[in-house]
Amino acid sequence: MLTVDGRAVEGGGSLLEACRAAGARVPAFCQDDRVGPAGHCRSCLVEADGRFVAACTTPARPGSEVRTDTERLRSYRRDLGELLLSESTPRGPVAAEISAWGATGERYGRASGGGAKDRSHPYLRLDLDACILCRLCLRGCEEIQGQFVYAVDGRGHGARLTWGEGPFAQSECVSCGACASLCPTGAITDADRERAAVPDGTVRTTCSYCGVGCSLEIHRAGGEVARIEGAPSPVNRGHLCVKGRYAHVPARHPDRLRTPLLRRGGSLVPVSWEEAIAFVAGAFAERRGKLAGLSSSRCTNEENYLFQKWFRAGLGTHNVDSCARVCHAPSAAAMRRSFGAGAATNSIADVDIADAILVAGANPTESHPVLGARIRERAIRGASLLVIDPRRTELAAIADVHLCLRPGTNVPLLNSLACVLVEEGLVDWTFLSERGEGWEEYEPFVRRFPPEATESTTGVPAAAVRRAARLYGIASRPIQVHGLGVTEHYQGSEAVMLLCNLALLRGAVGREGVGVNPLRGQNNVQGAADMGCQPDLLPGYGDPGDPSVRARFERAWGRPLPSRAGITLPRMLEAARRGEIRGMFILGEDLVQTDPDSRRVVEALRALEILVVQELFLSETATLAHVVLPGASAFEKEGTFTNTERRVQRVRKAVEPPGEALADWEVLCRLMAATGYPQSYAHPAEVMEEIASVAPVFAGLSYGRLEGEGLQWPVPAGDHPGTPVLHRDRFARGRALLARVDYLPSPVLAAARGGLLLTTGRVLEHYNSGSLTRRTGNRDLVGGDRLEIHPEDAATRGIRDGDRVVVKSAFGEARASARLTDRVAPGTLFLSFHFPETGTNRLTSDVRDRLADCPEYKLTPVEVVRESRGSSRRRGSPLRGSP
């Protein structure tokens, strides 16, 4: 025990914590729970056993006598305030505190101003006259984001905050806004704070961008989102990225859909909800048995559940899929075969305790930025970092080993990593003998692939493969994360099985700090799959071909269900081109921009007799529709999302949708009623109750239990705490399987048009089709897709940095500006797909994963030429007529 102002408190932490526990008010300008203590500002000085100490950095030792408000301290603080005012003009709470100390700026004179001011950034604003050099911005940038944008230049009175040369917008800042959220003086703020709207309410919800699932606090004012802050959570610890913090599209944005649209005479015209719903119901009734539906990973669990329920029980077909098909269906298929369950084995927080991190085919610092920052920070603190990627991504640049492979050669590379583990005895024999199967067949198989034998195929030096395998093999807690650079290939599912092999060889499954963890791309990819938005699985991964499972859902839904599985999205489009699928409903997805071989996608959609699209904006796909229904964004409705670690979290309504737009679950209920299958839900909470009643893995979920941090499924009962780690005691399939996979070159290589291989993906500032981020200040950060090309490849083609180029494949053409960079190896190109004018997915093929029907976005043979003046890409026209 120690005493603070005569009050006894427990020791153990810092003196600042002890003072606060005692109820004493101690200022601390440079302290924030999100970063470690530093003692820079000296505002938290207290008297401990008769001497001045910084409370934030001094341990609370038993027996200490601490005073927080003495005449000596008051005099010291007044003088500290005078010094601060002589060097800066702080604003906000710091200014108020200094004034309360009695400092006036008279003793040493007021600061004369003249510090740097910068407004070059779309979001961040800097006024260094207000800076007191507390270094919270610098420490937050380093400790939270793992970046080093800020520095303090000079010493003493001449010290100043700096970010390098030039305007701040040209700095290395990743626009996460951590500095603005930490700054106590207004020296760094942002556009949302600058508008100074007084919030009239705050709502906690979940981010609707990537699959990390960050917790948000939305501050609303005047019916709009005024500002977003990160909320404390095991997922994001109060941190956010540029999209989650700043890319909030106003509900009143002029491009938002506000009323249903119906095609008449070749044009989409506004109609009432009653007319639109009746039209859809009539058209679907005439084509029953010839329908298909695509649900959305951007929508809530409840909406995805209702969508598949409508198609299965209301319309009588399992022809329902979601965009999970085109990203992580291979992960689910592979992990079910290897482990028996197709979801992430571990929690995001396990990165913090891993001593080796394998990042395979993923670029988390851009696609999953908050998790990427966490990985980067863990690597800086000493964990081995191993990266498999054909580009030198941000993580690859700081990795202990970067395995820069040729696109499409994951299988031979992963087999070689496993071969080294086996050759060098870096195998957990006890784990394999107790929990694995297939070793007798696997060992001679994998020994065929030493790195020296695969080097000519993968392009990765054997020595690098051996070093990576050893680092993974000697780690006590090796964790894996993988992304679409693994799954979106001809052998995507099989490559994920080989990642599972690596974990099994090391006994790295079923405990904290290890595991195999797919990084789900969109906010609710996991949830869409969980809710049964796939043609061969019901909610909770029930098999519609199993009579007992089917009977359970038939009792709950009151309708017979087909016994045969439906067809996947790629096969839906094939069937549409053949006339076998005549009607389709697309909920919140832009197939024309995001699906491969866009020309063939457009052909399929034009062949439909009835196409219905439910969207926020008039997307490329919506322009082809017969009926367009206005939906609601995640900030405009209630529900839940499930993130990449299986955490089910609440989504809460902060603002009203614009015009006549409705929450998607409400639209679906109207459609179900109009097609003869009425539902009686008054709130999404009732939908969740039904989900819990039909799917055993979700039996313990309810809105009441999801308050706070949510729960990680399985949650089999109402008193179950959730499951942060899968497969602790046994695998869902009993014993885990060591898979044997031979390398098969992709058939797309037969369509080579040149000597270059294209891979595609996201950039930090944008998200998938970009329909949201392109309508925010993020467009000022990155205003178009750019083709990354190595300088050697550019030189041989006469291409200079910034030139407009045409990228040609056997399937189509795209246009973009060239960016010369050694981030890609010679022979490899990279192109993002966020801007429809680029036409990136006109290039990609219809080659699909052999097991999961996932398109091969990550490998396309192409050639590149400079764009000739006057050339242009002809754009498709909308569907004409009506059914």
Side-chain angles (χ1 to χ4, degrees):
M1 300 287 287
L2 69 155
T3 61
V4 177
D5 295 334
R7 181 176 178 181
V9 293
E10 293 287 343
S14 69
L15 277 185
L16 184 61
E17 292 170 311
C19 291
R20 289 176 175 174
R25 186 178 177 278
V26 176
F29 296 162
C30 70
Q31 189 275 335
D32 191 285
D33 290 342
R34 288 171 286 177
V35 296
H40 288 300
C41 71
R42 317 308 284 178
S43 65
C44 70
L45 259 61
V46 296
E47 284 191 44
D49 301 321
R51 60 192 181 90
F52 281 2
V53 296
C56 67
T57 57
T58 304
R61 296 185 177 91
S64 291
E65 183 179 338
V66 180
R67 297 183 181 278
T68 67
D69 187 22
T70 66
E71 183 56 40
R72 287 178 66 208
L73 282 170
R74 288 192 290 272
S75 176
Y76 163 78
R77 289 171 182 154
R78 186 165 52 251
D79 200 45
L80 174 64
E82 294 288 351
L83 285 169
L84 291 173
L85 292 177
S86 74
E87 298 177 344
S88 61
T89 55
R91 300 188 291 272
V94 169
E97 183 71 34
I98 290 174
S99 177
W101 293 344
T104 62
E106 295 176 359
R107 182 169 185 179
Y108 304 113
R110 285 271 184 176
S112 59
K117 293 178 172 59
D118 190 290
R119 300 178 63 84
S120 62
H121 194 277
Y123 299 123
L124 295 169
R125 308 285 185 260
L126 291 91
D127 176 4
L128 297 193
D129 282 341
C131 179
I132 61 171
L133 290 178
C134 69
R135 294 171 172 81
L136 271 176
C137 57
L138 185 152
R139 289 150 54 210
C141 190
E142 294 180 3
E143 296 177 31
I144 299 173
Q145 185 60 36
Q147 301 289 336
F148 301 89
V149 173
Y150 297 106
V152 174
D153 186 29
R155 297 174 63 84
H157 184 75
R160 62 186 180 88
L161 187 71
T162 183
W163 56 82
E165 299 295 327
F168 187 76
Q170 296 176 13
S171 72
E172 296 299 313
C173 177
V174 296
S175 310
C176 70
C179 55
S181 73
L182 288 164
C183 179
T185 68
I188 304 176
T189 186
D190 58 36
D192 287 346
R193 287 176 172 81
E194 193 176 58
R195 281 189 284 268
V198 178
D200 51 37
T202 301
V203 175
R204 178 167 174 148
T205 189
T206 304
C207 184
S208 59
Y209 280 110
C210 77
V212 173
C214 296
S215 291
L216 312 178
E217 286 184 355
I218 297 179
H219 300 267
R220 64 189 177 204
E224 288 284 6
V225 174
R227 188 174 82 245
I228 295 177
E229 299 288 354
S233 159
V235 175
N236 59 308
R237 302 179 294 187
H239 189 41
L240 295 175
C241 76
V242 61
K243 295 186 286 287
R245 190 183 301 275
Y246 295 125
H248 45 90
V249 181
R252 297 170 185 166
H253 192 284
D255 292 348
R256 281 292 299 273
L257 292 169
R258 289 167 164 74
T259 185
L261 303 175
L262 179 64
R263 190 169 296 281
R264 285 179 176 157
S267 299
L268 289 167
V269 299
V271 296
S272 68
W273 273 108
E274 291 75 16
E275 184 175 358
I277 295 289
F279 186 90
V280 174
F284 276 19
E286 294 173 8
R287 294 161 182 84
R288 192 177 177 91
K290 303 290 184 182
L291 300 172
L294 181 69
S295 193
S296 176
S297 296
R298 290 162 51 196
C299 290
T300 65
N301 286 319
E302 294 77 3
E303 289 160 347
N304 279 288
Y305 175 83
L306 289 177
F307 187 86
Q308 61 83 37
K309 180 181 178 182
W310 175 38
F311 265 79
R312 287 182 159 119
L315 301 176
T317 179
H318 289 303
N319 291 342
V320 59
D321 211 348
S322 73
C323 80
R325 171 69 45 204
V326 298
C327 56
H328 273 294
S331 293
M335 295 174 75
R336 279 197 297 269
R337 291 195 181 199
S338 294
F339 299 156
T345 62
N346 286 68
S347 302
I348 287 171
D350 283 8
V351 165
D352 300 341
I353 59 172
D355 55 359
I357 305 170
L358 172 60
V359 180
N363 186 10
T365 55
E366 298 201 57
S367 297
H368 303 82
V370 170
L371 174 56
R374 207 158 175 167
I375 293 171
R376 181 182 172 95
E377 188 265 343
R378 181 69 187 104
I380 291 170
R381 288 193 293 113
S384 298
L385 179 59
L386 319 169
V387 175
I388 300 173
D389 203 289
R391 300 168 71 212
R392 195 181 74 253
T393 62
E394 184 179 326
L395 290 181
I398 66 167
D400 293 271
V401 185
H402 173 206
L403 303 176
C404 184
L405 76 171
R406 292 193 182 98
T409 61
N410 288 310
V411 165
L413 177 60
L414 294 170
N415 272 331
S416 288
L417 287 168
C419 178
V420 175
L421 294 178
V422 172
E423 282 181 349
E424 302 195 7
L426 299 172
V427 175
D428 188 331
W429 304 110
T430 301
F431 183 90
L432 279 183
S433 64
E434 293 177 354
R435 303 192 60 186
E437 68 178 23
W439 170 254
E440 292 76 12
E441 299 83 8
Y442 177 76
E443 182 188 15
F445 170 82
V446 79
R447 285 184 181 274
R448 295 164 39 203
F449 305 106
E452 292 76 12
T454 60
E455 182 173 345
S456 62
T457 301
T458 66
V460 181
V465 178
R466 290 192 175 276
R467 180 163 184 253
R470 288 167 186 150
L471 288 172
Y472 186 82
I474 64 175
S476 59
R477 293 182 304 278
I479 195 169
Q480 297 179 22
V481 296
H482 71 265
L484 308 188
V486 173
T487 61
E488 290 180 343
H489 280 289
Y490 179 59
Q491 287 189 285
S493 297
E494 291 157 302
V496 176
M497 292 180 200
L498 300 186
L499 287 171
C500 294
N501 285 354
L502 294 177
L504 292 173
L505 291 172
R506 291 295 306 126
V509 187
R511 53 191 172 94
E512 285 82 5
V514 299
V516 180
N517 301 284
L519 300 183
R520 308 296 185 178
Q522 297 191 58
N523 56 297
N524 205 30
V525 166
Q526 182 66 59
D530 294 345
M531 295 300 108
C533 289
Q534 42 197 330
D536 58 343
L537 291 171
L538 292 161
Y541 302 95
D543 180 1
D546 183 328
S548 63
V549 172
R550 196 167 64 251
R552 169 159 43 95
F553 283 91
E554 288 174 339
R555 287 192 299 271
W557 293 348
R559 293 286 179 89
L561 300 180
S563 58
R564 292 182 56 187
I567 56 176
T568 62
L569 172 59
R571 299 184 191 282
M572 291 177 189
L573 297 176
E574 291 173 358
R577 287 190 288 267
R578 295 192 301 266
E580 296 167 9
I581 292 293
R582 296 166 57 195
M584 194 167 181
F585 194 109
I586 299 176
L587 175 62
E589 294 295 342
D590 190 358
L591 296 190
V592 173
Q593 190 174 341
T594 60
D595 272 47
D597 199 355
S598 300
R599 177 181 58 84
R600 297 282 282 165
V601 172
V602 172
E603 287 177 5
L605 298 182
R606 283 181 175 157
L608 294 168
E609 297 171 5
I610 171 70
L611 172 62
V612 184
V613 174
Q614 194 163 316
E615 257 293 3
L616 302 179
F617 304 97
L618 196 65
S619 64
E620 298 287 294
T621 301
T623 62
L624 303 176
H626 298 90
V627 183
V628 180
L629 304 177
S633 77
F635 294 167
E636 299 161 2
K637 57 189 175 185
E638 299 283 329
T640 59
F641 293 150
T642 305
N643 77 346
T644 196
E645 60 174 4
R646 298 171 284 104
R647 187 182 298 272
V648 185
Q649 301 181 97
R650 283 282 281 114
V651 174
R652 295 177 180 86
K653 184 176 182 178
V655 295
E656 294 295 329
E660 299 175 28
L662 295 172
D664 299 275
W665 71 271
E666 295 181 78
V667 178
L668 290 169
C669 286
R670 292 191 184 194
L671 288 163
M672 294 170 89
T675 51
Y677 189 45
Q679 306 295 302
S680 58
Y681 310 109
H683 190 275
E686 297 175 5
V687 182
M688 177 56 73
E689 291 174 5
E690 182 173 311
I691 294 166
S693 72
V694 298
V697 294
F698 309 127
L701 294 182
S702 67
Y703 276 27
R705 294 204 68 208
L706 294 175
E707 290 299 323
E709 297 174 351
L711 292 167
Q712 290 168 270
W713 66 258
V715 189
D719 59 353
H720 192 277
T723 310
V725 178
L726 293 180
H727 317 300
R728 276 194 184 273
D729 303 313
R730 67 182 301 274
F731 289 97
R733 70 185 304 277
R735 285 176 172 265
L737 177 66
L738 286 164
R740 304 187 307 277
V741 178
D742 277 305
Y743 171 56
L744 297 173
S746 170
V748 78
L749 295 174
R753 291 287 299 268
L756 302 172
L757 296 177
L758 174 73
T759 188
T760 65
R762 300 182 192 172
V763 298
L764 167 66
E765 295 78 6
H766 292 287
Y767 169 79
N768 282 20
S769 67
S771 62
L772 292 171
T773 52
R774 281 187 281 111
R775 293 174 167 89
T776 71
N778 285 30
R779 185 162 193 146
D780 296 326
L781 292 169
V782 174
D785 297 308
R786 299 190 72 184
L787 179 77
E788 291 187 2
I789 181 171
H790 193 276
E792 292 178 12
D793 294 326
T796 61
R797 292 161 176 82
I799 295 170
R800 295 170 298 183
D801 192 66
D803 280 352
R804 292 289 298 174
V805 296
V806 182
V807 189
K808 301 180 179 182
S809 76
F811 313 99
E813 297 182 358
R815 283 170 164 76
S817 295
R819 180 188 180 196
L820 275 59
T821 175
D822 60 2
R823 288 185 67 182
V824 291
T828 299
L829 306 175
F830 172 83
L831 184 61
S832 56
F833 52 85
H834 304 298
F835 291 79
E837 57 267 28
T838 304
T840 301
N841 280 316
R842 291 176 177 267
L843 298 167
T844 47
S845 74
D846 61 356
V847 171
R848 301 192 290 269
D849 173 76
R850 301 199 310 151
L851 301 179
D853 247 11
C854 175
E856 185 169 46
Y857 291 97
K858 303 304 183 189
L859 178 64
T860 306
V862 297
E863 191 47 79
V864 183
V865 297
R866 289 180 64 187
E867 182 178 73
S868 59
R869 289 188 177 182
S871 65
S872 63
R873 172 169 57 83
R874 194 177 73 181
R875 298 173 62 85
S877 59
L879 285 168
R880 294 178 174 82
S882 58

